[in-house]
Amino acid sequence: MTAKLSPAERQTNIIGLIIERGSLHVEELAEQCGVSLMTLYRDLAVLESRQITTRRRGHVSLLVSSISEAPFSFRLGQEWERKVAVARVAAQLVSQAATVFFDDSTTGYAAIDHIDEPAAKAFITNSMPAARRIAEGEYQSLTLIGGHLVRQLDATFGAGAISQVRELAFETALIGAASIKAGAIYHPFGEVAAFKRELISHVDVPILVATMSKIDRIALHRMGDISDFAHLVIDDSISDQVFNEFSSQTNVIVVSPEKGQNHVRAD
């Protein structure tokens, strides 16, 4: 007997099918998922409320595209083992820093639990989930950047956030990206890209954290180049060709979640 899936598992399956097929009619989607139309509509209502899927004339498609980004809560559940492996190594890289910035990256968020001696560090973030997570533990100080709250990302951006970044000095930052293509870093939202450009230019040691799923993904707004970062920490599904390409631009650290947190390959 096939085990009954939880709503979260069903919704993940729905997203996977749509990513694979591009768009599906509700009847075909219900058949593929092995659920009734009533159950499917309940799951779609959840996904639509989280701005992940959209329906038009009975066809369901992914709302996330080159002009949109998945909500933080959804990204948090994707590739979690790979993100944690990358996060552990990224946390080691910032171990000697007194000031650390976390942006809205879920991989950066995962690094919070692995920071050495957090009570001796000053943390800065524009991410609401990161601020809450840091506040639950030890810290010397915690600064939450204000600005325009982008609800989908649960983080602040805009002119106010950029102005505050310009007034602060911090040693290092863990920064995520929605897309890495041809050596450049992109994001679907213009105000997010603008904020991250400013952040990269004001931090001594910017660190890019990513998984291979971000490679060659399409997004509209350029936020910088790989060469702008002191390090790129990425999972081991990276190909040798991409590794060699990126290694000519920055220090690349490849992390294997299967071989343990300390199994890394650097250029």
Side-chain angles (χ1 to χ4, degrees):
M1 179 181 293
T2 304
K4 186 177 180 180
L5 299 180
S6 68
E9 290 171 327
R10 290 198 310 268
Q11 291 153 22
T12 298
N13 285 348
I14 290 169
I15 294 165
L17 284 167
I18 298 171
I19 289 173
E20 181 182 341
R21 303 279 291 277
S23 177
L24 284 168
H25 192 274
V26 288
E27 292 183 356
E28 184 180 2
L29 191 54
E31 182 180 351
Q32 290 285 327
C33 294
V35 298
S36 67
L37 279 173
M38 184 178 294
T39 298
L40 177 68
Y41 283 130
R42 284 200 297 266
D43 288 335
L44 290 177
V46 173
L47 295 174
E48 288 162 10
S49 71
R50 293 165 63 191
Q51 298 182 304
I52 296 172
T53 62
T54 184
R55 258 182 293 170
R56 182 177 175 82
R57 296 180 180 175
H59 285 83
V60 183
S61 58
L62 207 61
L63 188 59
V64 177
S65 67
S66 63
I67 59 171
S68 185
E69 170 69 306
F72 182 91
S73 58
F74 172 70
R75 289 183 285 129
L76 199 60
Q78 303 304 298
E79 304 182 290
W80 185 244
E81 288 185 5
R82 292 188 177 277
K83 288 179 179 180
V84 169
V86 168
R88 288 178 184 273
V89 173
Q92 293 171 12
L93 291 176
V94 304
S95 62
Q96 301 302 312
T99 54
V100 183
F101 189 100
F102 294 93
D103 73 351
D104 64 303
S105 162
T106 51
T107 304
Y109 174 87
I112 293 171
D113 289 341
H114 304 286
I115 299 290
D116 289 336
E117 300 182 6
K121 294 188 184 339
F123 296 111
I124 311 99
T125 185
N126 67 321
S127 165
M128 303 296 284
R132 289 190 290 266
R133 191 68 173 177
I134 293 166
E136 290 172 355
E138 297 181 325
Y139 55 90
Q140 185 182 83
S141 69
L142 171 60
T143 300
L144 178 59
I145 298 292
H148 170 228
L149 178 64
V150 178
R151 185 176 179 183
Q152 189 171 351
L153 305 181
D154 210 359
T156 55
F157 300 96
I162 288 175
S163 177
Q164 290 176 68
V165 164
R166 289 173 178 165
E167 296 299 318
L168 295 171
F170 30 84
E171 296 168 73
T172 189
L174 300 184
I175 302 171
S179 164
I180 305 174
K181 189 173 180 65
I185 318 297
Y186 296 87
H187 198 279
F189 299 158
E191 67 175 338
V192 176
F195 174 82
K196 295 196 180 193
R197 277 197 302 270
E198 198 70 34
L199 175 62
I200 293 165
S201 68
H202 278 79
V203 64
D204 294 337
V205 183
I207 300 170
L208 180 61
V209 291
T211 58
M212 263 299 290
S213 63
K214 304 301 175 66
I215 306 300
D216 290 334
R217 184 179 288 180
I218 303 298
L220 286 178
H221 302 279
R222 189 171 185 153
M223 53 179 261
D225 298 312
I226 288 178
S227 58
D228 295 331
F229 293 87
H231 307 281
L232 164 61
V233 188
I234 194 166
D235 70 281
D236 67 349
S237 56
I238 188 172
S239 67
D240 289 339
Q241 178 182 348
V242 174
F243 175 81
N244 292 333
E245 175 191 345
F246 289 172
S247 294
S248 68
Q249 301 170 68
T250 190
N251 177 48
V252 180
I253 303 172
V254 179
V255 184
S256 172
E258 275 126 28
K259 294 181 180 177
Q261 68 184 74
N262 296 319
H263 187 90
V264 300
R265 172 166 65 114
D267 66 328

